[in-house]
Amino acid sequence: MSQSSATGVSPVSTPSSPDSSSLEAPAHHPRRWWLLAIVALAQLTVVLDGTIVNIALPHAQGDLGMSDGDRTWVVTLYALVFGALLLLGGRIADYWGRKRSFIVGMAGFAVASTLGGMAQSTWELLAARGLQGLFAALLAPASLALLTVNFPGGKDRIKAFSVYGAIAGGGAAVGLVLGGVLTEYASWRWCLLVNVPIAIVAIAAAIPIIKESKAHGNTRYDVPGAILVALGLGSLVFGFAQAENGWSAWQVLVFIPLGVVLLALFVLVESRSNHPLLPLRILADTVRGGAFITGLLTGAALLGGLLFLTFHLQIVLGFSPLESGLASLPMTATIMVGATVLSKFLPRTGVRLPMTVGPLVVAAGLFYLSRITVGGSYVVEVLPGLILMGAGLALIFVPLQNVALSGIDAHDAGAASAAVTAVQQIGGSIGSAVFTVLYTSAVAASLAGGNGTPVAQLQAFVDGYQAAFFWAGVGVFLAAPVSFFMVRPKASDLLGSAPAMHLG
């Protein structure tokens, strides 16, 4: 029996999506695996920055004399600029050139990191963080677009996106370890300066190895769309970031609705534009939409898991920053092992099964962590939950990027890549806001019924962490039915002209 009849999938040679066409890059880049290594290094740099800076912040605050509000802005400003400019960065990569955008984004990120590492005042550090966000908004979609056009189909595409997905899922935990090492044995400044040697290596390798690719035909920029989506995404990120002051804060009540209105206007403008910043056909595809929703819910849960896990390890269990980073490594190791194994079986299992089971396993890990206690041990109460989360995240992240970018025309590779990253960025912002509010409410309720002793204070913290873990588990659990009912791609969408495999 032929493979197509056995799996129920016909070996179609051209993608069936309305927005699909042959990718302009060669199907077999002669040094595509070196290209993957370069792109993976860039992705690791961006992902690391999300957690490594958090480790450095307490030390930077003391050194520069920052207020608590300024310390919050070190994180918020980066997320604000990054989230606001992602879609524009994706279109610049498409039109200006993905290799050129990658190199400029990497170099700019390194320069901004240098300025931040050498900052002598709060405003210098804040300015550097804003610049990091700007160049990351160019670097991230350019990196993912390079993978999309250089791995257009076949098993190689699955392997490439498996590596990319593993880094997306496990890189944050690596940042905790690296941040702990640099802060404890060097200086908080090296948590920023470490990006410089990484960038030098990536750029030196990219110049001879990566071939330029860019969109042809209509390459006019959609200026009204760019302005609306930048202001809309920026308003959403800022509004959710301010929710830590309470959902009734005026910034929340103004900027979240404003962001929704601006994004609605953006959709209206895009629907009428003949050169849209983000072609709506990218979002209208049911399979791709399911992947986007899954990415949003997973991004929110992952941030909630790592943020409050770090607090529990350091505040309740008394771990040092380095020890808490090392304690999170089992999750990263599980993701890496899981990604390696799954990439081999994915052509036979299909993407629907792991993307449905993955959220359930991550949710199980978070529910397990929601049972932590003040006197509990790491091995009994934390480690099993981390292993479950790692296994589930591998099941999600290995196929996620591939599914989200299936059937994308080369002309729109940067825009679609930016949309994938933007969804996860917004998910992280929403998760941070929602889980922080739930944590704060649980702590306040516990303190109100406590006796004010140090043990009661720790118990209040644990009650807050339990609430955050539980609701993060509920959030990611919802991704399972989304994947089951929406993520049903055809083989031709994911593998192009490669032999048909069971991917539905």
Side-chain angles (χ1 to χ4, degrees), residues 4-72:
S4 60
S5 62
T7 62
V9 179
S10 301
V12 182
S13 60
T14 58
S16 60
S17 299
D19 56 335
S20 301
S21 67
S22 297
L23 293 170
E24 62 191 31
H28 296 289
H29 187 292
R31 289 183 286 182
R32 60 192 181 281
W33 297 114
W34 283 107
L35 180 146
L36 173 61
I38 297 167
V39 169
L41 194 60
Q43 169 67 0
L44 182 61
T45 302
V46 175
V47 174
L48 282 177
D49 193 74
T51 50
I52 196 171
V53 171
N54 290 340
I55 298 294
L57 269 180
H59 299 269
Q61 182 178 15
D63 196 10
L64 300 180
M66 286 189 289
S67 65
D68 288 342
D70 290 336
R71 184 183 67 179
T72 300

Side-chain angles (χ1 to χ4, degrees), residues 218-254:
N218 189 346
T219 56
R220 291 174 56 199
Y221 286 100
D222 174 19
V223 177
I227 294 173
L228 284 172
V229 77
L231 293 176
L233 290 176
S235 295
L236 277 184
V237 172
F238 178 74
F240 279 112
Q242 298 307 304
E244 64 181 21
N245 300 319
W247 291 103
S248 59
W250 72 266
Q251 297 96 329
V252 176
L253 298 177
V254 170

Side-chain angles (χ1 to χ4, degrees), residues 220-415:
R220 291 174 56 199
Y221 286 100
D222 174 19
V223 177
I227 294 173
L228 284 172
V229 77
L231 293 176
L233 290 176
S235 295
L236 277 184
V237 172
F238 178 74
F240 279 112
Q242 298 307 304
E244 64 181 21
N245 300 319
W247 291 103
S248 59
W250 72 266
Q251 297 96 329
V252 176
L253 298 177
V254 170
F255 283 96
I256 292 180
L258 177 61
V260 172
V261 171
L262 289 171
L263 290 179
L265 291 175
F266 168 71
V267 172
L268 179 63
V269 168
E270 299 305 276
S271 67
R272 299 180 178 182
S273 175
N274 60 1
H275 53 281
L277 184 72
L278 178 65
L280 296 185
R281 61 181 178 272
I282 291 176
L283 303 178
D285 182 80
T286 301
V287 173
R288 200 172 297 127
F292 284 165
I293 295 172
T294 300
L296 185 145
L297 293 172
T298 304
L302 178 60
L303 181 64
L306 285 180
L307 177 64
F308 293 100
L309 173 65
T310 302
F311 291 161
H312 177 67
L313 293 175
Q314 294 189 25
I315 297 175
V316 178
L317 299 186
F319 286 16
S320 69
L322 175 57
E323 289 171 337
S324 66
L326 292 172
S328 65
L329 276 184
M331 183 179 76
T332 302
T334 306
I335 291 174
M336 298 301 178
V337 173
T340 302
V341 174
L342 182 59
S343 65
K344 297 179 180 179
F345 290 96
L346 197 61
R348 287 179 296 198
T349 64
V351 297
R352 185 182 176 207
L353 178 62
M355 288 189 67
T356 300
V357 175
L360 299 179
V361 178
V362 175
L366 287 165
F367 289 148
Y368 188 93
L369 290 175
S370 72
R371 300 174 61 85
I372 56 174
T373 61
V374 173
S377 70
Y378 166 79
V379 172
V380 175
E381 293 191 349
V382 177
L383 182 59
L386 290 178
I387 294 175
L388 283 172
M389 285 184 65
L393 289 171
L395 291 171
I396 296 171
F397 280 116
V398 167
L400 179 65
Q401 311 287 356
N402 194 1
V403 174
L405 295 172
S406 63
I408 291 293
D409 190 286
H411 187 279
D412 299 325

Side-chain angles (χ1 to χ4, degrees), residues 133-195:
L134 185 152
F135 286 106
L138 182 62
L139 175 62
S143 300
L144 192 50
L146 284 170
L147 279 192
T148 302
V149 299
N150 284 285
F151 291 88
K155 293 183 178 180
D156 285 354
R157 179 181 175 95
I158 293 176
K159 293 177 182 178
F161 279 97
S162 297
V163 172
Y164 193 92
I167 292 174
V174 175
L176 295 176
V177 178
L178 187 58
V181 171
L182 293 174
T183 301
E184 192 164 328
Y185 296 106
S187 164
W188 67 267
R189 297 181 181 277
W190 275 103
C191 291
L192 292 163
L193 294 174
V194 69
N195 294 320

